[in-house]
Amino acid sequence: MPGTGEPPPRGWATMGRWRGPSILLAVLLLLCPLPAPACPHTCHCWAGDVDCRQRALHEVPRLLPTNASSLWLGYNLIAVLGARAFPSLPVLLRLSLTHNRLEKIHRQALLGLGALQDLDLSDNYLSVLSPETFLPLTSLSILNLGYNRLEELEAGVPPALPQLQAIFLNGNPWMCSCSILPLWRWLGHNREKVPERTSLQCMFPESLNTYPIMAFGNDSFQQCQKVPLSAQNYAAFLLIGPFSFLASIFCCTLIGSIVVVYQHLRKESQTWRRPLSSGDH
């Protein structure tokens, strides 16, 4: 013991011997991040790229490396992206789902992909897209929706992507009716963001088949403009309804009364009519 000339207990020597390595080990554990999840056995991973193409996948693999920067899921059998279809991938920049069977994308399917810059959904069966689906993609600059089944594009889809620089829309069966008006307006104000804008064509109705969407003018959509009703118009509608109802009741009552009176008078005339005798012939 110190000051007594006796040797220190054996445990003290052991603690002194391992104190340095223990501190070093603790520092290493704090500084070294935990390893990323292993690559899915159906995919091939290297240097941040995760290649899961042509694997007959019906859904997105659940365990993906968190350091993935590119995820290739093309040429599979994925039909639906449900809510939170992907694990959190904070550094994912490119996602390709081309040539699948995608018909539906949940509004929360792309949560956790905030760093995504390039999204390829081409060559699928998408017919409806919700603007809410794209709200988490605040960094997306390239969106490929080509060769799907889109007949119209909701007005809120492009504005949901503040960093959008290029969108590909060719190969869709666009319905050139009033429903195409939001897309036509957006194209007119964002020509530089649609590289293939001149090749976008109507498929329906048949009379406009292959007609270029950008060839329409303002006059083409005059019948689609909604004219707001004035206060006088609303008041007229409110008054016409009840008055029409009361008028119809009055007319029906009047006609019914006339018929009843007529039938009554006719019956009385037949009752008081003197029958003819045989000698009157």
Side-chain angles (χ1 to χ4, degrees), residues 26-107:
V27 172
L28 290 175
L29 289 175
L30 290 174
L31 294 179
C32 295
L34 294 175
C39 182
H41 69 278
T42 55
C43 307
H44 180 59
C45 306
W46 76 98
D49 280 5
V50 182
D51 189 353
C52 304
R53 288 174 290 188
Q54 295 181 320
R55 304 292 180 176
L57 299 176
H58 290 269
E59 60 182 10
V60 178
R62 298 307 304 168
L63 295 177
L64 292 168
T66 55
N67 65 342
S69 58
S70 298
L71 177 56
W72 309 90
L73 288 166
Y75 299 90
N76 281 295
L77 306 174
I78 302 173
V80 177
L81 291 180
R84 297 185 177 273
F86 300 86
S88 180
L89 300 173
V91 296
L92 186 68
L93 301 178
R94 183 170 187 179
L95 172 60
S96 175
L97 285 155
T98 184
H99 286 91
N100 272 273
R101 298 181 179 179
L102 273 177
E103 296 180 352
K104 182 179 180 181
I105 301 179
H106 192 275
R107 294 182 178 184

Side-chain angles (χ1 to χ4, degrees), residues 178 181 184-185 218 221-227:
C178 290
L181 179 57
W184 177 81
R185 283 176 172 168
N218 288 322
F221 297 100
Q222 283 185 352
Q223 72 278 10
C224 303
Q225 308 299 325
K226 295 181 179 180
V227 180

Side-chain angles (χ1 to χ4, degrees), residues 114-137:
L116 195 65
Q117 297 180 4
D118 187 343
L119 176 59
D120 188 356
L121 297 172
S122 62
D123 291 279
N124 279 287
Y125 303 149
L126 295 170
S127 59
V128 177
L129 289 172
S130 171
E132 288 81 0
T133 301
F134 300 97
L135 289 178
L137 308 182

Side-chain angles (χ1 to χ4, degrees), residues 5-265:
E6 298 180 3
R10 188 173 182 179
W12 284 38
T14 304
M15 289 177 61
R17 187 183 307 126
W18 288 101
R19 184 177 301 167
S22 299
I23 295 175
L24 179 61
L25 180 61
V27 172
L28 290 175
L29 289 175
L30 290 174
L31 294 179
C32 295
L34 294 175
C39 182
H41 69 278
T42 55
C43 307
H44 180 59
C45 306
W46 76 98
D49 280 5
V50 182
D51 189 353
C52 304
R53 288 174 290 188
Q54 295 181 320
R55 304 292 180 176
L57 299 176
H58 290 269
E59 60 182 10
V60 178
R62 298 307 304 168
L63 295 177
L64 292 168
T66 55
N67 65 342
S69 58
S70 298
L71 177 56
W72 309 90
L73 288 166
Y75 299 90
N76 281 295
L77 306 174
I78 302 173
V80 177
L81 291 180
R84 297 185 177 273
F86 300 86
S88 180
L89 300 173
V91 296
L92 186 68
L93 301 178
R94 183 170 187 179
L95 172 60
S96 175
L97 285 155
T98 184
H99 286 91
N100 272 273
R101 298 181 179 179
L102 273 177
E103 296 180 352
K104 182 179 180 181
I105 301 179
H106 192 275
R107 294 182 178 184
Q108 297 181 348
L110 304 178
L111 290 176
L113 306 181
L116 195 65
Q117 297 180 4
D118 187 343
L119 176 59
D120 188 356
L121 297 172
S122 62
D123 291 279
N124 279 287
Y125 303 149
L126 295 170
S127 59
V128 177
L129 289 172
S130 171
E132 288 81 0
T133 301
F134 300 97
L135 289 178
L137 308 182
T138 55
S139 301
L140 194 72
S141 59
I142 301 174
L143 176 61
N144 192 343
L145 298 174
Y147 297 94
N148 275 278
R149 296 180 177 178
L150 296 171
E151 294 185 1
E152 61 182 84
L153 190 66
E154 286 197 34
V157 171
L161 301 168
Q163 302 299 324
L164 187 65
Q165 297 179 9
I167 183 170
F168 298 89
L169 300 167
N170 207 14
N172 284 287
W174 300 111
M175 170 66 76
C176 289
S177 60
C178 290
S179 61
I180 204 72
L181 179 57
L183 175 61
W184 177 81
R185 283 176 172 168
W186 187 86
L187 291 173
H189 291 90
N190 298 273
R191 295 173 180 266
E192 73 285 354
K193 296 182 180 180
V194 190
E196 52 190 15
R197 61 186 178 276
T198 57
S199 61
L200 295 179
Q201 297 179 343
C202 307
M203 181 172 288
F204 304 106
E206 187 176 352
S207 59
L208 292 174
N209 186 269
T210 70
Y211 190 83
I213 294 178
M214 295 303 297
F216 288 112
N218 288 322
D219 296 342
S220 303
F221 297 100
Q222 283 185 352
Q223 72 278 10
C224 303
Q225 308 299 325
K226 295 181 179 180
V227 180
L229 295 176
S230 62
Q232 292 82 357
N233 291 332
Y234 278 115
F237 279 119
L238 292 175
L239 292 175
I240 288 174
F243 274 113
S244 299
F245 178 71
L246 294 175
S248 62
I249 293 178
F250 175 78
C251 291
C252 291
T253 303
L254 179 61
I255 294 173
S257 300
I258 293 174
V259 171
V260 170
V261 171
Y262 172 76
Q263 293 291 343
H264 181 71
L265 293 176

Side-chain angles (χ1 to χ4, degrees), residues 1-6:
M1 294 292 292
T4 63
E6 298 180 3

